[in-house]
Amino acid sequence: MNHKNGFNPLSRTTAHRRAMSRNMVTSLFRYERITTTKAKALEVRKAAEKLITRSKVDTVHNRRQAARYIQDETILAKLFTDIGPRMKDRAGGYTRVLKLGFRQGDAADMVILELVDYKLDSGDKTEKKETKKAKEPAEKKAAPKKAAASKKDAGEKKAPAKKTSSAKTKAKAEAPAEESAEKASE
C-alpha cells in the first residue's frame, strides 16, 4: 500500500514538471498571488512551503538549498529578507488556496494560490488618484505652451507659398533662433 506517498505527475515529463514547478514557485514569491489550476496549485504549494520553512533561518546552507530551486537572485533575496521573517511566528500553512470556479474551454478547476499574509492593494487606489491629480495641473500648464507653439506654426503656414532662395535661407536662420527663444522662456 502506498498511502499518501508520492506526488501528482500532472501528465508531464520529469523535466517539464520540474521546470514548471520552479517557475510557478518563483512567480508565487514574486507576486505573492497566482492563478492556476487546482492540481498544479496543490503540487506547487508543497515546494513553496518547504522553501518558506527554510527561509525562516537565514544561513548559507539554507540559501544554497533554496537557490537550487529558485534561479532568480532577486526573488531568492526577497524570500530570505522579506517573506521568511514575515512567517517567523507561523508554524506552517504559509499558503492558501481559494477556489475560482471552472475555466471556460476545458472546465479545469481554477484556484488562486496566495501567501497567507497577502493583502489586496486597496490603499493604492487613493495613491493613484492623488498622483493623477498632481499630474493634471502639470499637463494644464504644458497645454498653453503647446497651443502657443501651434498658433505660431499656423501663422507660418499662412505665409506666401512662393519663396525665393534668399527668403528660404532667412527662414531657416530664423527657425533655430525662435526655438532657442522658446526654450529660454520656458
Side-chain angles (χ1 to χ4, degrees):
M1 267 189 257
N2 118 12
H3 294 297
K4 296 242 179 182
N5 294 333
F7 57 92
N8 184 351
L10 299 171
S11 300
R12 286 166 169 78
T13 62
T14 304
H16 185 185
R17 187 175 55 251
R18 283 182 184 160
M20 183 189 64
S21 180
R22 287 176 177 178
N23 289 334
M24 291 182 76
V25 168
T26 303
S27 294
L28 176 64
F29 293 148
R30 176 177 287 133
Y31 303 112
E32 299 186 8
R33 184 178 206 187
I34 58 173
T35 303
T36 183
T37 61
K38 184 177 179 182
K40 288 180 193 172
L42 296 178
E43 285 304 308
V44 168
R45 170 190 223 172
K46 293 176 187 177
E49 297 216 357
K50 288 177 184 177
L51 287 171
I52 292 172
T53 301
R54 278 206 179 269
S55 71
K56 288 165 70 172
V57 180
D58 191 2
T59 62
V60 174
H61 179 68
N62 284 345
R63 277 187 181 261
R64 287 181 178 165
Q65 291 296 314
R68 288 172 54 196
Y69 208 82
I70 298 174
Q71 304 296 320
D72 191 351
E73 292 178 10
T74 57
I75 302 304
L76 186 65
K78 179 181 178 182
L79 177 65
F80 279 89
T81 59
D82 183 32
I83 297 171
R86 282 189 346 217
M87 303 290 184
K88 200 83 162 168
D89 300 331
R90 191 175 287 275
Y94 310 112
T95 58
R96 166 188 308 132
V97 176
L98 303 169
K99 294 182 182 180
L100 285 178
F102 299 102
R103 180 166 58 195
Q104 190 173 3
D106 64 352
D109 199 5
M110 298 299 289
V111 297
I112 294 174
L113 177 64
E114 67 181 10
L115 298 179
V116 172
D117 61 351
Y118 177 80
K119 292 185 177 77
L120 288 174
D121 297 333
S122 59
D124 288 350
K125 291 180 182 178
T126 56
E127 291 175 11
K128 287 180 183 177
K129 288 180 183 177
E130 291 173 5
T131 56
K132 283 183 182 178
K133 288 179 183 177
K135 287 181 183 178
E136 287 176 3
E139 290 175 1
K140 288 180 182 177
K141 290 177 184 176
K145 291 178 184 176
K146 289 180 183 176
S150 64
K151 286 179 184 178
K152 288 180 183 178
D153 292 339
E156 290 175 2
K157 290 179 183 175
K158 291 180 183 177
K162 295 181 181 179
K163 288 186 179 179
T164 61
S165 61
S166 62
K168 287 182 182 179
T169 56
K170 287 181 182 177
K172 288 181 182 177
E174 291 174 0
E178 288 178 0
E179 291 175 4
S180 62
E182 287 178 8
K183 290 179 181 177
S185 66
E186 290 178 1

